Amino acid sequence: MKWLRISTALTGIAACSLLLAQVAPQARDAGAILAAQDDPHLLSELRLDALLRQNDRLVQDNIEAALASGDADLADSFVALARDRNIALPDDLLNRVSDAVKAENSTSHFAKRFATGLVTGNADDVASLSGTVAGDLFVIGDVRDVVREGKHLAMGEETDRLVLGLATAGLAVTAATYVSVGGAAPVRAGLTLVKDARKVGRLGEGLAAWAGRSAREIVDTPMLQNAVAKGSVFRPGETVSAIRAAFRAEKAGALVRLGKDVTRVAGKTGTRGAMDTLRIAEGPKDVARAARLAEAQGSKTRAIMKLLGRGALLLVGGVFDLAMWLFGAVLTLFGLLSSIKATTERLTQAWCDRKRARRLRRAQIAAEAALADAALKA
């Protein structure tokens, strides 16, 4: 029975050791991810490590897909990621990406996209954003948007209040830009990007809801309706002054911070990177995290967000699973230590019992010898 108890404890040590060897790597990764949940740079690095270990062709396949969709900027971002991770890519693929980037940055392409952004007010790359911002800086774009949406509002028609609020804020910021000789330009560009993302349906639902509430707070609706009723795109001076009066600057702090963060993202990843961020963001905190990620990862940011989505910015689901890996590792470690303790105690007890038995046998032999001597003397 004694040796059976020792064998059971030794079996527990072996089983727990084997299980811990399986659980420990997962628990280590889970702990690292949980510890990095407030650092988007470190969090994205850890998740990329796990993702790239599963598929060594992931980067190459995404480059091919980006080229097929005509997104040379995204393909170039994946090339930067491959270079950073020492992932080998075929020379012909690198040449195709280089040619696509050159074509996208050509003078004729830039001029065409600039004109499109200036006329339509929609931006999806650097050139079209330049045209859009130029239009907004000269108040053409914002006046156009405010007059259009404001008339919808006045007539009781469906109104995009977010575009209306952003355009109104844009006019006020444009004035600040001129006064500060460009000091407010980053906010101006950021607000334009948010507005354009809304127009083309690339603004995340959560962020759109938040921005919509913020836009409502910064606009005095009755005053704006009156300004729009009397305003016109052909009288920009009078219209801008009237619209600006409906802007509540004291309520615009959060929206201004959003504009700055969007510009920080665009400055490191390009316009499309900022659009990608606005599409996956559920609120201004996500955009702020994306700005931190972009400043740390630079041109690789678009590729990272393509692979990880919102998971590049923060822990999205799976927290319970991560915690369970840690709990499982702790439980297994406790089982291992308990088995070691039980084995040690049982071996010690067996050694003590054996020593006691030897001592008893020696005492018994001595007693028997003494009795024998006494009998002989008698």
Side-chain angles (χ1 to χ4, degrees):
M1 180 64 71
K2 176 173 58 179
W3 292 108
L4 177 61
R5 294 179 64 208
I6 293 174
S7 298
T8 303
L10 288 171
T11 301
I13 291 177
C16 289
S17 298
L18 181 61
L19 185 59
L20 188 61
Q22 301 295 322
V23 173
Q26 300 289 346
R28 183 187 63 242
D29 293 344
I33 290 174
L34 287 172
Q37 59 183 312
D38 294 323
D39 185 345
H41 174 214
L42 184 55
L43 179 63
S44 64
E45 286 289 325
L46 291 171
R47 290 197 152 169
L48 273 176
D49 288 340
L51 195 61
L52 293 175
R53 280 197 300 267
Q54 298 172 9
N55 184 356
D56 56 359
R57 281 189 53 87
L58 187 63
V59 171
Q60 185 173 337
D61 290 343
N62 273 276
I63 292 175
E64 294 282 5
L67 290 175
S69 65
D71 194 341
D73 181 72
L74 179 57
D76 195 45
S77 180
F78 272 106
V79 170
L81 179 62
R83 190 179 300 117
D84 181 69
R85 294 281 174 151
N86 294 319
I87 299 174
L89 295 173
D91 290 338
D92 66 316
L93 182 61
L94 293 173
N95 291 334
R96 287 166 56 200
V97 173
S98 179
D99 292 342
V101 171
K102 288 179 181 177
E104 193 169 84
N105 293 334
S106 65
T107 303
S108 59
H109 180 83
F110 188 93
K112 179 181 178 181
R113 298 302 299 158
F114 181 92
T116 300
L118 179 64
V119 174
T120 67
N122 295 330
D124 62 0
D125 58 15
V126 175
S128 55
L129 176 64
S130 300
T132 303
V133 173
D136 285 351
L137 281 175
F138 288 104
V139 306
I140 299 171
D142 282 333
V143 170
R144 175 193 61 217
D145 293 334
V146 171
V147 170
R148 182 183 65 246
E149 299 299 334
K151 287 185 176 179
H152 289 326
L153 181 64
M155 299 178 66
E157 299 174 351
E158 184 177 352
T159 305
D160 193 328
R161 290 179 177 270
L162 176 51
V163 170
L164 180 62
L166 288 170
T168 304
L171 289 173
V173 172
T174 299
T177 300
Y178 286 127
V179 171
S180 63
V181 194
V187 179
R188 164 71 278 170
L191 292 176
T192 295
L193 266 174
V194 176
K195 186 174 66 171
D196 290 339
R198 172 66 170 184
K199 288 180 181 179
V200 297
R202 296 179 69 178
L203 192 63
E205 291 184 8
L207 184 59
W210 175 87
R213 291 192 298 271
S214 299
R216 286 173 182 268
E217 292 177 357
I218 66 173
V219 175
D220 185 327
T221 302
M223 186 176 294
L224 181 63
Q225 286 177 313
N226 183 58
V228 170
K230 298 178 180 179
S232 170
V233 177
F234 301 105
R235 298 195 304 275
E238 298 176 21
T239 304
V240 169
S241 297
I243 291 173
R244 197 178 297 138
F247 176 71
R248 297 169 179 166
E250 70 280 2
K251 302 284 188 179
L255 207 58
V256 167
R257 284 192 295 273
L258 174 65
K260 288 181 178 178
D261 287 335
V262 172
T263 305
R264 287 167 60 197
V265 175
K268 295 295 183 179
T269 69
T271 304
R272 290 182 177 178
M275 286 291 192
D276 291 344
T277 298
L278 292 171
R279 179 175 53 80
I280 65 175
E282 290 297 321
K285 290 183 178 179
D286 285 1
V287 179
R289 284 174 173 268
R292 291 168 57 194
L293 176 66
E295 288 173 346
Q297 298 286 14
S299 60
K300 305 188 296 286
T301 306
R302 280 201 74 197
I304 292 171
M305 289 198 291
K306 175 67 175 179
L307 293 175
L308 302 177
R310 191 163 173 252
L313 308 178
L314 74 167
L315 285 178
V316 182
V319 176
F320 178 77
D321 292 337
L322 294 174
M324 286 304 296
W325 278 114
L326 289 174
F327 179 73
V330 170
L331 195 62
T332 305
L333 181 61
F334 177 77
L336 176 61
L337 295 176
S338 298
S339 297
I340 293 173
K341 176 177 178 292
T343 302
T344 304
E345 290 174 347
R346 291 170 188 179
L347 286 172
T348 302
Q349 185 64 48
W351 181 79
C352 291
D353 291 344
R354 185 177 179 182
K355 189 175 181 180
R356 187 182 303 111
R358 286 179 178 178
R359 189 167 54 248
L360 288 173
R361 282 196 299 271
R362 285 196 296 266
Q364 185 178 3
I365 292 171
E368 290 176 351
L371 287 174
D373 288 343
L376 289 174
K377 290 179 180 179

